[in-house]
Amino acid sequence: MAKSYKLSIIKGDGIGPEIIDEAIKILDAVAKKCDFTLEYNEYLMGGIAIDTTGHPLPEATVEGVLNSDACLFGAIGGVKWDTLPRNLRPETGLLSFREKMGVYANLRPAVIYDELINASTLKAEVIKGVDIMVVRELIGGIYFGQPRANDGETAYNTMIYTKKEILRIGKKAFEIAMTRDNRLCSVDKANVLEVSQLWRDTMNELSKDYPSVELTHMYVDNAAMQLVRNPRQFDVIVTGNIFGDILSDTASMVVGSIGLLPSASTGDKTAIYEPIHGSAPDIAGLGIANPIATIESAAMLLRYSLNENEAASLIEKAIKKVLKEGYRTKDLADFDAKEVLTTSQMGDVILNNI
Ligand code: IPM
Ligand code: MG
């Protein structure tokens, strides 16, 4: 009997619905080709959830995603909800969602597509061949640390990591390094912060269990500089929540095309796959959004959560081919475009290559 999987779908706000629709189109095609079935259940989150239920993260969403094999996520947020109190903002819903799903490891690959090497603001010779995986701790650190407060005169947040949390993300990063080039760079601010000293000591301790992986350490300010100066020196980067937030944005611009990059947030309960770009409310509904990052995220979902590697490869190959043939959405129209396509046309040409 054909295998069957349950996916939870969160389209979210802005361009979220448009790009998710294209990814589902592609998922259906590879499922058919590789002989498995996918059942989709849609849930609300972010601004649309606020408008419909009064809360950015309804309980039904939490339960539905926990009961699914994996979640495909579009994007959330928009100016319309930016002035709400902090506890009702879409971003707060997102953080609480990550925490409730237990997705402690956020994987953000930054890979160059040769055809789009000119889309980066950096020189081609600097970025040729870049293939970096940023492993960001996602449910700890200063984002979640207590106490936190702002009384109008004084405000503070707490950057906190337990050894247990560092071991958990560290193991994941070492394991990922072993599937790649066996180089792991741990990024911290151990020259200033106690929390970073514990981070560094723990990574050193852990490295004894992974003798094939070369562990190095870098301060976060230097890492930001090195990413732009010579990005090829990095294979896997592991870092805490806020440093990872910043460095993964930098890494994504090193390769130039934010519309192409997927991400995975994984833990012990479930996993969430989403494009690294946001909800782009300014172009929502115009049919010009680039669906590739979301389709790439669907490929990651197939590979990492469902172990459907063949289906994942079919998607990745189709995307490479389409880019090679010069098909572009508007965001990349200036980079060797043969034909500029709408969101759904891009979905269609990818589909035709599967
Ligand atoms: C990201 C985003 C989020 C984060 C925001 C929207 C809360 O920047 O996923 O990188 O800071 O984690
Ligand atoms: Mg960010």
Side-chain angles (χ1 to χ4, degrees), residues 130-329:
V130 163
D131 181 355
I132 301 171
M133 178 67 91
V134 179
V135 180
R136 167 189 177 193
E137 200 291 326
L138 200 59
I139 56 174
I142 197 166
Y143 273 51
F144 293 90
Q146 295 291 348
R148 58 191 293 164
N150 175 6
D151 69 8
E153 289 300 325
T154 309
Y156 50 85
N157 292 87
T158 305
M159 194 189 268
I160 180 165
Y161 271 116
T162 63
K163 185 162 178 180
K164 211 170 137 197
E165 286 173 318
I166 304 169
L167 284 170
R168 182 170 71 169
I169 189 72
K171 278 183 192 156
K172 186 92 193 180
F174 274 102
E175 277 159 20
I176 290 171
M178 285 173 68
T179 68
R180 297 171 47 102
D181 198 31
N182 284 293
R183 291 181 294 125
L184 178 61
C185 178
S186 172
V187 172
D188 62 36
K189 191 72 187 176
N191 51 346
V192 178
L193 305 173
E194 282 79 1
V195 58
S196 281
Q197 192 60 55
L198 180 64
W199 180 281
R200 190 174 280 222
D201 294 344
T202 307
M203 290 295 167
N204 279 331
E205 192 182 314
L206 204 51
S207 78
K208 298 193 184 87
D209 297 338
Y210 300 89
S212 64
V213 177
E214 179 203 26
L215 173 70
T216 54
H217 301 277
M218 209 179 263
Y219 297 136
V220 61
D221 49 347
N222 186 29
M225 185 174 82
Q226 295 298 336
L227 263 176
V228 179
R229 192 186 72 88
N230 173 20
R232 263 195 308 267
Q233 70 185 286
F234 296 103
D235 176 25
V236 180
I237 292 176
V238 63
T239 190
N241 205 343
I242 196 162
F243 297 159
D245 179 43
I246 300 163
L247 292 182
S248 60
D249 266 26
T250 307
S252 74
M253 267 300 116
V254 166
V255 301
S257 23
I258 197 159
L260 301 184
L261 296 177
S263 76
S265 303
T266 71
D268 303 323
K269 301 187 237 180
T270 187
I272 307 162
Y273 297 84
E274 59 182 303
I276 70 160
H277 60 71
S279 60
D282 51 321
I283 60 161
L286 300 182
I288 57 173
N290 186 343
I292 292 183
T294 313
I295 298 173
E296 282 278 359
S297 303
M300 273 185 111
L301 182 158
L302 292 167
R303 190 182 298 287
Y304 293 113
S305 281
L306 309 186
N307 226 354
E308 294 288 350
N309 294 314
E310 194 196 329
S313 300
L314 278 176
I315 297 180
E316 289 157 356
K317 278 189 202 137
I319 290 173
K320 278 210 182 85
K321 183 138 181 278
V322 160
L323 290 174
K324 197 170 229 122
E325 285 169 357
Y327 293 108
R328 305 278 185 267
T329 38

